[in-house]
Amino acid sequence: MKRLLCAAAAAALAGGLVAAQPATAKPPKPDDRAAQAQKVVDGVTVNGILRHLRQFQVIANAHDGNRASGLPGHEASADYIETQLRRAGYQVERQTFTFPFFQELAPSVLRTEAGDIEHHTFTYSGGGDVTGTVAPTNDIVIPATPEPSSTSGCEASDFEAAPEDPAIALVQRGTCDFAVKVENAVAAGYDAVIVMNEGNPGRTDIATGTLGAPQEVPVVGISYDDGVALAEAAVTATVTTEVESDPDRETFNLIAELPARHQHAKGPGMGKGPKKPPQVREDEAIVVGAHLDSVTEGPGINDNGSGSAGILEIALQLSRTGVADRLERPVRFAWWGAEELGLLGSEHYVASLSPDELGSIYANLNFDMIGSENYVRFLYDGDGSAGGPAGPPGSGEIRDIFAGFFERQGLAWEPTEFDGRSDYGPFIAAGIPAGGVFSGADGIKTEQEAQIYGGTAGEIYDSCYHQLCDDMTAINTNALHELGDAAAWGVAQLGLGQPLYPDMSRAPYSQQLTTPDFDYKGGLAVR
């Protein structure tokens, strides 16, 4: 029975502050680092994590089945975490911010004379009931090309002027953001929008995603095949959506630091009053994060109760084992709000930091979904060696810390690219190295992966991803054990002084980098 994440905590808030007063007990020698890290790995058990997950389930059950930001279940989840941390002696702060809240209030409808069409309502769709002619843009690509190429709806000229009677625009996924396509359709006079998938490999199923901000008209997504059928025939359709949007809903990030008794602990020979050991580097904080919110459709026990419960248990055990007193770097625990609507909590946090505060963050470790039922041991591919984008310098070294742990246990692992689907995004956009472990979401397990990791080939890693069934029964405790041990080791190693660079300091900070051109913001596609 084991384990999860490790680390320590220090660092302060006040609008996203950084520096915390580190421990003054003698820090571990390099050859003692592994022994100290192992204490935390051993202290964090699967049973401990499950205890918190059960509480998240109870909370969701009592609050309309979810723990979404801006709703009571999220508030109650944060209350539970805060109570646990304060009992263990932590100082906890809430960093509040406003965000555009969205939820569906009733199942949507897409119907033609031939019957209902399977579809998905886009996040930030407008509400309404529209019956009218379906009008495809003049540049839909049928048949689809082997690689994405459609620019449907990206230019105002792609749309014929809408008739006086109600009409529904049909656009194809590709090239530009969904929001651009919808805004162009509305400008041309259309009363609703249907987004068909593009038809390339991986883009054939029902199109889903986010519009980024509330829109005026109903917007739903359909599969490529259903889109072709609508595009090639004169069709009248009905689109009905009932939604709630609030552009100024309030939520928060929850951020914890260790109390003064850890920050100023006296050790042998320290004399009266606190002294800082020379190895402690206050300007190299480790931010350990997990988003706390669920989608409105379900309780989010794996996504991301698993990561949230994991770092909570680490925080509690870190204090109890005494490893916190031996840290060489401050470690900050953060439970982000509103990730499911586009990484909004972590974006707010990073944006709130001054250049000096950003420069004092050594690394970001992100834990989003570590208990998927049909799991794979994924590590974020920090140096891009698997073909995806590379993270800032140091990201590859973070991956290697986790990889080395797995390899010493005789466990295989797979790279997964930085694709913008979790809260590391704002950190790497600011030039901060990042990494973490991940058990898989809506990707499909391959035959080779099934041979290595077990589970079922041809099925997605988390069959309850963003659904009502993402509950306690969907958690794989083997995933919590294996990924949790690696996560605990990685956080402890960095907190205890493991260098990412030859000179044991962080690479020069160069202010803001160009934001990566991600196709996703959180779990939602933007284009």
Side-chain angles (χ1 to χ4, degrees):
M1 298 301 240
K2 292 190 184 191
R3 272 79 92 181
L4 245 172
L5 319 161
C6 135
L13 215 86
L17 302 194
V18 176
Q21 299 298 318
T24 55
K26 186 177 180 180
K29 297 176 181 179
D31 59 0
D32 190 37
R33 185 182 300 134
Q36 295 300 318
Q38 191 63 45
K39 285 185 181 180
V40 185
V41 172
D42 291 340
V44 179
T45 67
V46 167
N47 279 338
I49 299 166
L50 290 175
R51 178 171 64 91
H52 306 311
L53 290 178
R54 292 186 193 102
Q55 290 301 312
F56 292 155
Q57 183 72 66
V58 168
I59 288 167
N61 291 348
H63 295 92
D64 296 324
N66 71 71
R67 302 181 303 102
S69 274
L71 293 174
H74 178 259
E75 180 85 26
S77 298
D79 289 345
Y80 169 75
I81 291 174
E82 187 168 351
T83 297
Q84 297 296 308
L85 291 169
R86 291 192 185 280
R87 285 175 179 171
Y90 275 79
Q91 297 169 346
V92 187
E93 299 288 344
R94 295 190 181 195
Q95 182 188 40
T96 60
F97 60 95
T98 58
F99 74 106
F101 173 81
F102 173 86
Q103 68 171 329
E104 285 192 82
L105 298 176
S108 56
V109 173
L110 174 57
R111 181 177 298 129
T112 68
E113 297 94 328
D116 291 344
I117 298 175
E118 287 190 80
H119 65 284
H120 189 277
T121 304
F122 270 69
T123 299
Y124 295 122
S125 165
D129 183 4
V130 179
T131 298
T133 302
V134 176
T137 62
N138 54 32
D139 57 351
I140 288 177
V141 180
I142 300 175
T145 55
E147 297 294 331
S149 63
S150 174
T151 62
S152 169
C154 293
E155 303 290 339
S157 58
D158 294 342
F159 298 87
E160 299 289 342
E164 291 185 6
D165 293 333
I168 301 167
L170 175 66
V171 301
Q172 187 176 27
R173 181 183 184 183
T175 304
C176 64
D177 288 359
F178 297 124
V180 172
K181 299 172 186 282
V182 171
E183 289 162 3
N184 286 335
V186 171
Y190 288 90
D191 304 284
V193 179
I194 299 171
V195 181
M196 62 181 282
N197 218 335
E198 192 168 1
N200 325 102
R203 295 189 170 202
T204 58
D205 294 336
I206 296 171
T208 63
T210 179
L211 305 174
Q215 298 290 333
E216 302 175 16
V217 302
V219 182
V220 297
I222 61 174
S223 70
Y224 172 74
D225 287 343
D226 284 335
V228 170
L230 292 182
E232 293 184 337
V235 177
T236 296
T238 295
V239 179
T240 304
T241 56
E242 185 178 352
V243 303
E244 177 188 3
S245 290
D246 178 357
D248 297 310
R249 188 68 59 93
E250 188 174 278
T251 192
F252 53 87
N253 298 319
L254 193 69
I255 305 179
E257 61 174 318
L258 283 171
R261 64 184 174 85
H262 288 291
Q263 297 169 8
H264 300 294
K266 289 195 295 182
M270 296 299 291
K272 294 182 180 180
K275 290 184 180 180
K276 300 175 186 176
Q279 297 91 335
V280 172
R281 297 179 287 280
E282 293 184 46
D283 62 344
E284 294 186 2
I286 310 300
V287 176
V288 179
H291 76 86
L292 179 58
D293 61 314
S294 74
V295 294
T296 56
E297 290 84 356
I301 299 304
N302 186 37
D303 183 16
N304 182 36
S306 60
S308 292
I311 68 170
L312 171 58
E313 185 63 11
I314 290 162
L316 301 180
Q317 295 299 329
L318 186 64
S319 176
R320 294 166 187 167
T321 60
V323 175
D325 294 334
R326 305 181 66 120
L327 292 174
E328 293 188 11
R329 295 187 178 105
V331 180
R332 182 174 315 129
F333 292 99
W335 288 264
W336 310 120
E339 186 270 356
E340 295 291 6
L341 290 174
L343 315 182
L344 302 182
S346 54
E347 279 190 345
H348 175 80
Y349 176 78
V350 171
S352 75
L353 301 177
S354 70
D356 285 346
E357 290 166 344
L358 281 170
S360 68
I361 298 177
Y362 192 73
N364 167 238
L365 299 181
N366 183 69
F367 301 103
D368 187 354
M369 301 177 65
I370 59 172
S372 301
E373 187 174 12
N374 197 28
Y375 75 103
V376 167
R377 292 182 286 270
F378 285 117
L379 301 180
Y380 293 116
D381 185 30
D383 63 5
S385 58
S395 301
E397 287 77 6
I398 293 174
R399 180 208 57 201
D400 291 344
I401 292 172
F402 295 121
F405 179 84
F406 278 142
E407 289 161 7
R408 286 189 293 275
Q409 307 303 310
L411 298 174
W413 59 275
E414 302 291 329
T416 186
E417 69 178 53
F418 282 127
D419 57 8
R421 297 194 67 169
S422 196
D423 288 298
Y424 58 77
F427 288 90
I428 65 176
I432 296 168
V437 299
F438 171 53
S439 57
D442 56 349
I444 304 296
K445 178 170 267 187
T446 66
E447 291 283 354
Q448 183 179 17
E449 288 170 347
Q451 291 174 7
I452 296 171
Y453 303 99
T456 306
E459 295 187 3
I460 68 174
Y461 304 117
D462 181 359
S463 62
C464 288
Y465 180 64
H466 284 184
Q467 297 179 54
L468 180 63
C469 61
D470 183 6
D471 57 22
M472 286 297 299
T473 66
I475 291 291
N476 188 319
T477 55
N478 288 330
L480 288 182
H481 174 169
E482 295 166 4
L483 276 72
D485 279 2
W489 178 264
V491 177
Q493 285 287 304
L494 283 174
L496 290 164
Q498 172 71 34
L500 297 182
Y501 313 100
D503 63 356
M504 297 189 72
S505 66
R506 71 161 294 144
Y509 176 66
S510 58
Q511 307 292 327
Q512 197 85 0
L513 297 183
T514 301
T515 302
D517 189 25
F518 292 139
D519 287 340
Y520 286 84
K521 286 193 69 177
L524 301 170
V526 297
R527 66 175 66 89

